[in-house]
Amino acid sequence: MRSYRRHPLLVPTLLCVFALVAAPSAAPSAAEEESGPGSDPGIAAQVARLYDDVSVATRQYEVGRKKADARRVEARRAEQRLARERRDIAALHADLGRMARAQYREGGGLPYVAHLLLADNAEEMMRGQHALWQADLAVNNAVAKNRRAEAKLAADEAKARSEWQAVERWKADLAELKRNIQAKLEMARWTLQSQADASVASGSCRGAVRLGQPVSGPLPAWVAPVESYRLSAGFGSDGELWANEHTGQDFAVPIGTPVRAVGEGRVVKVSCGGAFGIEIVIEHPGGYCTQYAHLASVTADQGEVVTTGQWIGQSGTSGNSTGPHLHFEARVSPELGSAVDPVPWLAEHGITVR
């Protein structure tokens, strides 16, 4: 989902986002306060901000996940180095054992005087002593090398443990970050929905909540009504909730998801109450109309001219609905009963939904 505010390319620290999550909501703007008495339009803006925060947290999570993956690769490399070092140390121990056994067989443990007495002549004794000195030197070098290898092994084992611990800390911090934002978003969603239900029950709309619009480049002439979704009930399907066949295409999305005008046009109807709950209908050039129903809030007023991709509402589950989704219709007139299958209609306008 695109952000309606510009953000730095990288969020500085996890603590900043935690502080944002914990901070109280900002006071409603003057435009928000105009929505009507007894309402809290600030919750709609808060939901939109929290969606934005989730987007930021998701990007940060991906950055952290890549860092954790890099740490994990380095930790595995360290484990491989450790395995090689352990094999080298085992070989050194075997060499030391062979040297010690050879010295024992060759009398390496005898003192110098004993070698002198046992030698047949001085030259033989000197040659033997030289060989013993060389053997002693090799043993001492092997012992020193073994000690260095063991010290390096201990340091690398500590580094490997540190790498794995860092990976686990990253995972725990990122998971906690997402849990905090998601929990706050879920609470705000249902607060927004409760306001929508109150509006539907009274049959009186609270008026448009003015939200900042998404920052994006040029858009095509037509777009899908929501960016991310799962298709649920389709056009013409049967169900207990409908008097006749289903007249639109349902897009399963969470409460508070920004709903977009699929094309430019004029808002010809904003209604609260009845089976569709909170709905908005847009008439497009050429005569076709699109309907967006079961909303939690509207962000455009009747008579307003809207552009392609403009946020015109937030999805919900108001009216005759069993769960959060957007009910979308394409019609030949603004009135109920003139609907056509919206999926091929969107396809004719270059939009494929699946």
PDB file of all heavy atoms in Angstrom, residues 226-257:
ATOM      1  N   VAL A 226      -9.008  -1.567  -4.711  1.00  0.00           N
ATOM      2  CA  VAL A 226      -8.083  -1.697  -3.589  1.00  0.00           C
ATOM      3  C   VAL A 226      -6.787  -2.282  -4.136  1.00  0.00           C
ATOM      4  O   VAL A 226      -6.779  -2.985  -5.146  1.00  0.00           O
ATOM      5  CB  VAL A 226      -8.640  -2.593  -2.452  1.00  0.00           C
ATOM      6  CG1 VAL A 226      -9.710  -1.868  -1.663  1.00  0.00           C
ATOM      7  CG2 VAL A 226      -9.175  -3.903  -3.000  1.00  0.00           C
ATOM      8  N   GLU A 227      -5.677  -1.993  -3.460  1.00  0.00           N
ATOM      9  CA  GLU A 227      -4.383  -2.428  -3.973  1.00  0.00           C
ATOM     10  C   GLU A 227      -4.107  -3.901  -3.673  1.00  0.00           C
ATOM     11  O   GLU A 227      -3.678  -4.650  -4.540  1.00  0.00           O
ATOM     12  CB  GLU A 227      -3.269  -1.552  -3.392  1.00  0.00           C
ATOM     13  CG  GLU A 227      -3.242  -0.149  -3.972  1.00  0.00           C
ATOM     14  CD  GLU A 227      -1.951   0.566  -3.636  1.00  0.00           C
ATOM     15  OE1 GLU A 227      -0.900   0.135  -4.135  1.00  0.00           O
ATOM     16  OE2 GLU A 227      -1.997   1.536  -2.862  1.00  0.00           O
ATOM     17  N   SER A 228      -4.309  -4.311  -2.433  1.00  0.00           N
ATOM     18  CA  SER A 228      -4.055  -5.703  -2.036  1.00  0.00           C
ATOM     19  C   SER A 228      -5.360  -6.307  -1.557  1.00  0.00           C
ATOM     20  O   SER A 228      -6.092  -5.686  -0.765  1.00  0.00           O
ATOM     21  CB  SER A 228      -3.011  -5.756  -0.918  1.00  0.00           C
ATOM     22  OG  SER A 228      -1.786  -5.212  -1.367  1.00  0.00           O
ATOM     23  N   TYR A 229      -5.663  -7.519  -1.994  1.00  0.00           N
ATOM     24  CA  TYR A 229      -6.972  -8.084  -1.683  1.00  0.00           C
ATOM     25  C   TYR A 229      -6.959  -9.585  -1.933  1.00  0.00           C
ATOM     26  O   TYR A 229      -6.025 -10.146  -2.515  1.00  0.00           O
ATOM     27  CB  TYR A 229      -8.047  -7.446  -2.570  1.00  0.00           C
ATOM     28  CG  TYR A 229      -7.740  -7.566  -4.053  1.00  0.00           C
ATOM     29  CD1 TYR A 229      -8.073  -8.718  -4.775  1.00  0.00           C
ATOM     30  CD2 TYR A 229      -7.073  -6.542  -4.723  1.00  0.00           C
ATOM     31  CE1 TYR A 229      -7.767  -8.836  -6.125  1.00  0.00           C
ATOM     32  CE2 TYR A 229      -6.763  -6.658  -6.070  1.00  0.00           C
ATOM     33  CZ  TYR A 229      -7.111  -7.801  -6.770  1.00  0.00           C
ATOM     34  OH  TYR A 229      -6.793  -7.929  -8.095  1.00  0.00           O
ATOM     35  N   ARG A 230      -8.057 -10.224  -1.509  1.00  0.00           N
ATOM     36  CA  ARG A 230      -8.363 -11.606  -1.870  1.00  0.00           C
ATOM     37  C   ARG A 230      -9.801 -11.607  -2.383  1.00  0.00           C
ATOM     38  O   ARG A 230     -10.694 -11.094  -1.713  1.00  0.00           O
ATOM     39  CB  ARG A 230      -8.223 -12.531  -0.659  1.00  0.00           C
ATOM     40  CG  ARG A 230      -8.584 -13.992  -0.960  1.00  0.00           C
ATOM     41  CD  ARG A 230      -8.406 -14.845   0.293  1.00  0.00           C
ATOM     42  NE  ARG A 230      -9.227 -14.389   1.404  1.00  0.00           N
ATOM     43  CZ  ARG A 230     -10.514 -14.666   1.559  1.00  0.00           C
ATOM     44  NH1 ARG A 230     -11.166 -15.397   0.651  1.00  0.00           N
ATOM     45  NH2 ARG A 230     -11.186 -14.210   2.608  1.00  0.00           N
ATOM     46  N   LEU A 231     -10.022 -12.136  -3.564  1.00  0.00           N
ATOM     47  CA  LEU A 231     -11.376 -12.165  -4.111  1.00  0.00           C
ATOM     48  C   LEU A 231     -12.238 -13.139  -3.314  1.00  0.00           C
ATOM     49  O   LEU A 231     -11.805 -14.243  -2.995  1.00  0.00           O
ATOM     50  CB  LEU A 231     -11.351 -12.586  -5.577  1.00  0.00           C
ATOM     51  CG  LEU A 231     -10.679 -11.611  -6.563  1.00  0.00           C
ATOM     52  CD1 LEU A 231     -10.741 -12.173  -7.968  1.00  0.00           C
ATOM     53  CD2 LEU A 231     -11.333 -10.239  -6.497  1.00  0.00           C
ATOM     54  N   SER A 232     -13.458 -12.721  -2.975  1.00  0.00           N
ATOM     55  CA  SER A 232     -14.382 -13.623  -2.284  1.00  0.00           C
ATOM     56  C   SER A 232     -15.618 -13.809  -3.175  1.00  0.00           C
ATOM     57  O   SER A 232     -15.490 -14.282  -4.290  1.00  0.00           O
ATOM     58  CB  SER A 232     -14.707 -13.117  -0.879  1.00  0.00           C
ATOM     59  OG  SER A 232     -15.058 -11.750  -0.886  1.00  0.00           O
ATOM     60  N   ALA A 233     -16.804 -13.428  -2.716  1.00  0.00           N
ATOM     61  CA  ALA A 233     -18.022 -13.688  -3.494  1.00  0.00           C
ATOM     62  C   ALA A 233     -17.989 -12.939  -4.826  1.00  0.00           C
ATOM     63  O   ALA A 233     -17.661 -11.746  -4.881  1.00  0.00           O
ATOM     64  CB  ALA A 233     -19.242 -13.278  -2.694  1.00  0.00           C
ATOM     65  N   GLY A 234     -18.331 -13.648  -5.895  1.00  0.00           N
ATOM     66  CA  GLY A 234     -18.316 -13.050  -7.216  1.00  0.00           C
ATOM     67  C   GLY A 234     -19.705 -12.698  -7.717  1.00  0.00           C
ATOM     68  O   GLY A 234     -20.730 -13.003  -7.096  1.00  0.00           O
ATOM     69  N   PHE A 235     -19.724 -12.061  -8.863  1.00  0.00           N
ATOM     70  CA  PHE A 235     -20.983 -11.619  -9.483  1.00  0.00           C
ATOM     71  C   PHE A 235     -21.843 -12.837  -9.838  1.00  0.00           C
ATOM     72  O   PHE A 235     -21.364 -13.826 -10.393  1.00  0.00           O
ATOM     73  CB  PHE A 235     -20.669 -10.817 -10.742  1.00  0.00           C
ATOM     74  CG  PHE A 235     -21.873 -10.286 -11.450  1.00  0.00           C
ATOM     75  CD1 PHE A 235     -22.494  -9.129 -11.014  1.00  0.00           C
ATOM     76  CD2 PHE A 235     -22.391 -10.939 -12.562  1.00  0.00           C
ATOM     77  CE1 PHE A 235     -23.610  -8.625 -11.671  1.00  0.00           C
ATOM     78  CE2 PHE A 235     -23.506 -10.447 -13.229  1.00  0.00           C
ATOM     79  CZ  PHE A 235     -24.116  -9.285 -12.774  1.00  0.00           C
ATOM     80  N   GLY A 236     -23.141 -12.758  -9.484  1.00  0.00           N
ATOM     81  CA  GLY A 236     -24.079 -13.808  -9.828  1.00  0.00           C
ATOM     82  C   GLY A 236     -24.100 -14.994  -8.901  1.00  0.00           C
ATOM     83  O   GLY A 236     -24.888 -15.930  -9.093  1.00  0.00           O
ATOM     84  N   SER A 237     -23.265 -14.994  -7.868  1.00  0.00           N
ATOM     85  CA  SER A 237     -23.260 -16.132  -6.937  1.00  0.00           C
ATOM     86  C   SER A 237     -24.467 -16.062  -6.009  1.00  0.00           C
ATOM     87  O   SER A 237     -25.076 -15.010  -5.813  1.00  0.00           O
ATOM     88  CB  SER A 237     -21.964 -16.151  -6.130  1.00  0.00           C
ATOM     89  OG  SER A 237     -21.770 -14.929  -5.445  1.00  0.00           O
ATOM     90  N   ASP A 238     -24.829 -17.217  -5.444  1.00  0.00           N
ATOM     91  CA  ASP A 238     -25.972 -17.299  -4.531  1.00  0.00           C
ATOM     92  C   ASP A 238     -25.493 -17.206  -3.090  1.00  0.00           C
ATOM     93  O   ASP A 238     -24.368 -17.585  -2.763  1.00  0.00           O
ATOM     94  CB  ASP A 238     -26.717 -18.626  -4.718  1.00  0.00           C
ATOM     95  CG  ASP A 238     -27.342 -18.735  -6.107  1.00  0.00           C
ATOM     96  OD1 ASP A 238     -27.833 -17.700  -6.605  1.00  0.00           O
ATOM     97  OD2 ASP A 238     -27.305 -19.838  -6.686  1.00  0.00           O
ATOM     98  N   GLY A 239     -26.373 -16.713  -2.228  1.00  0.00           N
ATOM     99  CA  GLY A 239     -26.044 -16.649  -0.816  1.00  0.00           C
ATOM    100  C   GLY A 239     -27.257 -16.296   0.008  1.00  0.00           C
ATOM    101  O   GLY A 239     -28.213 -15.689  -0.491  1.00  0.00           O
ATOM    102  N   GLU A 240     -27.233 -16.666   1.274  1.00  0.00           N
ATOM    103  CA  GLU A 240     -28.372 -16.410   2.155  1.00  0.00           C
ATOM    104  C   GLU A 240     -28.589 -14.922   2.401  1.00  0.00           C
ATOM    105  O   GLU A 240     -29.677 -14.488   2.750  1.00  0.00           O
ATOM    106  CB  GLU A 240     -28.154 -17.121   3.499  1.00  0.00           C
ATOM    107  CG  GLU A 240     -28.118 -18.649   3.387  1.00  0.00           C
ATOM    108  CD  GLU A 240     -27.870 -19.297   4.733  1.00  0.00           C
ATOM    109  OE1 GLU A 240     -27.688 -18.545   5.720  1.00  0.00           O
ATOM    110  OE2 GLU A 240     -27.876 -20.537   4.805  1.00  0.00           O
ATOM    111  N   LEU A 241     -27.516 -14.114   2.241  1.00  0.00           N
ATOM    112  CA  LEU A 241     -27.615 -12.694   2.560  1.00  0.00           C
ATOM    113  C   LEU A 241     -28.265 -11.879   1.442  1.00  0.00           C
ATOM    114  O   LEU A 241     -28.593 -10.720   1.638  1.00  0.00           O
ATOM    115  CB  LEU A 241     -26.221 -12.125   2.846  1.00  0.00           C
ATOM    116  CG  LEU A 241     -25.500 -12.706   4.074  1.00  0.00           C
ATOM    117  CD1 LEU A 241     -24.115 -12.095   4.204  1.00  0.00           C
ATOM    118  CD2 LEU A 241     -26.307 -12.421   5.338  1.00  0.00           C
ATOM    119  N   TRP A 242     -28.406 -12.462   0.256  1.00  0.00           N
ATOM    120  CA  TRP A 242     -28.904 -11.701  -0.884  1.00  0.00           C
ATOM    121  C   TRP A 242     -30.298 -12.181  -1.271  1.00  0.00           C
ATOM    122  O   TRP A 242     -30.571 -13.382  -1.345  1.00  0.00           O
ATOM    123  CB  TRP A 242     -27.952 -11.853  -2.077  1.00  0.00           C
ATOM    124  CG  TRP A 242     -26.525 -11.644  -1.692  1.00  0.00           C
ATOM    125  CD1 TRP A 242     -25.999 -10.580  -1.015  1.00  0.00           C
ATOM    126  CD2 TRP A 242     -25.439 -12.543  -1.912  1.00  0.00           C
ATOM    127  NE1 TRP A 242     -24.656 -10.748  -0.805  1.00  0.00           N
ATOM    128  CE2 TRP A 242     -24.274 -11.941  -1.345  1.00  0.00           C
ATOM    129  CE3 TRP A 242     -25.316 -13.786  -2.545  1.00  0.00           C
ATOM    130  CZ2 TRP A 242     -23.034 -12.549  -1.400  1.00  0.00           C
ATOM    131  CZ3 TRP A 242     -24.069 -14.384  -2.595  1.00  0.00           C
ATOM    132  CH2 TRP A 242     -22.947 -13.784  -2.034  1.00  0.00           C
ATOM    133  N   ALA A 243     -31.184 -11.204  -1.556  1.00  0.00           N
ATOM    134  CA  ALA A 243     -32.536 -11.551  -1.989  1.00  0.00           C
ATOM    135  C   ALA A 243     -32.493 -12.246  -3.343  1.00  0.00           C
ATOM    136  O   ALA A 243     -33.270 -13.169  -3.616  1.00  0.00           O
ATOM    137  CB  ALA A 243     -33.389 -10.278  -2.065  1.00  0.00           C
ATOM    138  N   ASN A 244     -31.585 -11.801  -4.204  1.00  0.00           N
ATOM    139  CA  ASN A 244     -31.401 -12.428  -5.508  1.00  0.00           C
ATOM    140  C   ASN A 244     -29.918 -12.824  -5.627  1.00  0.00           C
ATOM    141  O   ASN A 244     -29.252 -13.035  -4.621  1.00  0.00           O
ATOM    142  CB  ASN A 244     -31.813 -11.456  -6.615  1.00  0.00           C
ATOM    143  CG  ASN A 244     -33.283 -11.078  -6.505  1.00  0.00           C
ATOM    144  OD1 ASN A 244     -34.151 -11.943  -6.587  1.00  0.00           O
ATOM    145  ND2 ASN A 244     -33.552  -9.788  -6.315  1.00  0.00           N
ATOM    146  N   GLU A 245     -29.420 -12.900  -6.825  1.00  0.00           N
ATOM    147  CA  GLU A 245     -28.005 -13.229  -7.000  1.00  0.00           C
ATOM    148  C   GLU A 245     -27.132 -12.046  -6.586  1.00  0.00           C
ATOM    149  O   GLU A 245     -27.563 -10.889  -6.599  1.00  0.00           O
ATOM    150  CB  GLU A 245     -27.742 -13.608  -8.456  1.00  0.00           C
ATOM    151  CG  GLU A 245     -28.411 -14.913  -8.877  1.00  0.00           C
ATOM    152  CD  GLU A 245     -28.123 -15.246 -10.323  1.00  0.00           C
ATOM    153  OE1 GLU A 245     -27.791 -14.316 -11.096  1.00  0.00           O
ATOM    154  OE2 GLU A 245     -28.228 -16.427 -10.689  1.00  0.00           O
ATOM    155  N   HIS A 246     -25.885 -12.368  -6.256  1.00  0.00           N
ATOM    156  CA  HIS A 246     -24.928 -11.334  -5.845  1.00  0.00           C
ATOM    157  C   HIS A 246     -24.661 -10.381  -7.004  1.00  0.00           C
ATOM    158  O   HIS A 246     -24.411 -10.817  -8.136  1.00  0.00           O
ATOM    159  CB  HIS A 246     -23.621 -12.013  -5.419  1.00  0.00           C
ATOM    160  CG  HIS A 246     -22.693 -11.110  -4.685  1.00  0.00           C
ATOM    161  ND1 HIS A 246     -21.351 -11.007  -5.004  1.00  0.00           N
ATOM    162  CD2 HIS A 246     -22.900 -10.272  -3.640  1.00  0.00           C
ATOM    163  CE1 HIS A 246     -20.772 -10.153  -4.184  1.00  0.00           C
ATOM    164  NE2 HIS A 246     -21.694  -9.687  -3.343  1.00  0.00           N
ATOM    165  N   THR A 247     -24.718  -9.081  -6.720  1.00  0.00           N
ATOM    166  CA  THR A 247     -24.687  -8.082  -7.790  1.00  0.00           C
ATOM    167  C   THR A 247     -23.323  -7.442  -8.009  1.00  0.00           C
ATOM    168  O   THR A 247     -23.203  -6.493  -8.785  1.00  0.00           O
ATOM    169  CB  THR A 247     -25.706  -6.969  -7.478  1.00  0.00           C
ATOM    170  OG1 THR A 247     -25.438  -6.439  -6.174  1.00  0.00           O
ATOM    171  CG2 THR A 247     -27.121  -7.520  -7.538  1.00  0.00           C
ATOM    172  N   GLY A 248     -22.320  -7.921  -7.308  1.00  0.00           N
ATOM    173  CA  GLY A 248     -20.998  -7.311  -7.461  1.00  0.00           C
ATOM    174  C   GLY A 248     -19.882  -8.301  -7.236  1.00  0.00           C
ATOM    175  O   GLY A 248     -20.096  -9.509  -7.192  1.00  0.00           O
ATOM    176  N   GLN A 249     -18.692  -7.771  -7.091  1.00  0.00           N
ATOM    177  CA  GLN A 249     -17.511  -8.564  -6.764  1.00  0.00           C
ATOM    178  C   GLN A 249     -17.007  -8.120  -5.399  1.00  0.00           C
ATOM    179  O   GLN A 249     -16.804  -6.925  -5.167  1.00  0.00           O
ATOM    180  CB  GLN A 249     -16.407  -8.365  -7.806  1.00  0.00           C
ATOM    181  CG  GLN A 249     -15.097  -9.050  -7.468  1.00  0.00           C
ATOM    182  CD  GLN A 249     -15.242 -10.564  -7.382  1.00  0.00           C
ATOM    183  OE1 GLN A 249     -15.668 -11.215  -8.324  1.00  0.00           O
ATOM    184  NE2 GLN A 249     -14.900 -11.124  -6.226  1.00  0.00           N
ATOM    185  N   ASP A 250     -16.826  -9.082  -4.506  1.00  0.00           N
ATOM    186  CA  ASP A 250     -16.321  -8.765  -3.170  1.00  0.00           C
ATOM    187  C   ASP A 250     -14.803  -8.905  -3.132  1.00  0.00           C
ATOM    188  O   ASP A 250     -14.238  -9.886  -3.627  1.00  0.00           O
ATOM    189  CB  ASP A 250     -16.941  -9.688  -2.124  1.00  0.00           C
ATOM    190  CG  ASP A 250     -18.412  -9.354  -1.856  1.00  0.00           C
ATOM    191  OD1 ASP A 250     -18.860  -8.286  -2.333  1.00  0.00           O
ATOM    192  OD2 ASP A 250     -19.086 -10.153  -1.182  1.00  0.00           O
ATOM    193  N   PHE A 251     -14.161  -7.903  -2.518  1.00  0.00           N
ATOM    194  CA  PHE A 251     -12.717  -7.912  -2.294  1.00  0.00           C
ATOM    195  C   PHE A 251     -12.495  -8.024  -0.781  1.00  0.00           C
ATOM    196  O   PHE A 251     -12.826  -7.091  -0.034  1.00  0.00           O
ATOM    197  CB  PHE A 251     -12.083  -6.624  -2.806  1.00  0.00           C
ATOM    198  CG  PHE A 251     -12.148  -6.456  -4.302  1.00  0.00           C
ATOM    199  CD1 PHE A 251     -13.315  -5.990  -4.912  1.00  0.00           C
ATOM    200  CD2 PHE A 251     -11.056  -6.753  -5.102  1.00  0.00           C
ATOM    201  CE1 PHE A 251     -13.381  -5.827  -6.288  1.00  0.00           C
ATOM    202  CE2 PHE A 251     -11.117  -6.596  -6.482  1.00  0.00           C
ATOM    203  CZ  PHE A 251     -12.281  -6.139  -7.079  1.00  0.00           C
ATOM    204  N   ALA A 252     -11.992  -9.151  -0.334  1.00  0.00           N
ATOM    205  CA  ALA A 252     -11.754  -9.339   1.099  1.00  0.00           C
ATOM    206  C   ALA A 252     -10.513  -8.554   1.515  1.00  0.00           C
ATOM    207  O   ALA A 252      -9.402  -8.829   1.051  1.00  0.00           O
ATOM    208  CB  ALA A 252     -11.567 -10.825   1.404  1.00  0.00           C
ATOM    209  N   VAL A 253     -10.730  -7.558   2.367  1.00  0.00           N
ATOM    210  CA  VAL A 253      -9.646  -6.700   2.869  1.00  0.00           C
ATOM    211  C   VAL A 253      -9.956  -6.347   4.320  1.00  0.00           C
ATOM    212  O   VAL A 253     -11.111  -6.367   4.740  1.00  0.00           O
ATOM    213  CB  VAL A 253      -9.512  -5.395   2.033  1.00  0.00           C
ATOM    214  CG1 VAL A 253      -8.933  -5.684   0.659  1.00  0.00           C
ATOM    215  CG2 VAL A 253     -10.854  -4.677   1.906  1.00  0.00           C
ATOM    216  N   PRO A 254      -8.948  -6.021   5.116  1.00  0.00           N
ATOM    217  CA  PRO A 254      -9.195  -5.653   6.513  1.00  0.00           C
ATOM    218  C   PRO A 254      -9.953  -4.333   6.621  1.00  0.00           C
ATOM    219  O   PRO A 254      -9.929  -3.504   5.703  1.00  0.00           O
ATOM    220  CB  PRO A 254      -7.781  -5.525   7.098  1.00  0.00           C
ATOM    221  CG  PRO A 254      -6.884  -6.246   6.155  1.00  0.00           C
ATOM    222  CD  PRO A 254      -7.506  -6.095   4.812  1.00  0.00           C
ATOM    223  N   ILE A 255     -10.595  -4.137   7.757  1.00  0.00           N
ATOM    224  CA  ILE A 255     -11.272  -2.869   8.048  1.00  0.00           C
ATOM    225  C   ILE A 255     -10.253  -1.735   7.975  1.00  0.00           C
ATOM    226  O   ILE A 255      -9.139  -1.837   8.481  1.00  0.00           O
ATOM    227  CB  ILE A 255     -11.916  -2.904   9.442  1.00  0.00           C
ATOM    228  CG1 ILE A 255     -13.064  -3.921   9.466  1.00  0.00           C
ATOM    229  CG2 ILE A 255     -12.416  -1.520   9.866  1.00  0.00           C
ATOM    230  CD1 ILE A 255     -13.594  -4.204  10.854  1.00  0.00           C
ATOM    231  N   GLY A 256     -10.669  -0.639   7.343  1.00  0.00           N
ATOM    232  CA  GLY A 256      -9.810   0.543   7.269  1.00  0.00           C
ATOM    233  C   GLY A 256      -8.928   0.598   6.046  1.00  0.00           C
ATOM    234  O   GLY A 256      -8.214   1.585   5.849  1.00  0.00           O
ATOM    235  N   THR A 257      -8.965  -0.434   5.202  1.00  0.00           N
ATOM    236  CA  THR A 257      -8.160  -0.408   3.980  1.00  0.00           C
ATOM    237  C   THR A 257      -8.616   0.741   3.076  1.00  0.00           C
ATOM    238  O   THR A 257      -9.809   0.884   2.808  1.00  0.00           O
ATOM    239  CB  THR A 257      -8.312  -1.738   3.211  1.00  0.00           C
ATOM    240  OG1 THR A 257      -7.865  -2.802   4.041  1.00  0.00           O
ATOM    241  CG2 THR A 257      -7.494  -1.716   1.922  1.00  0.00           C
TER     242      THR A 257
END
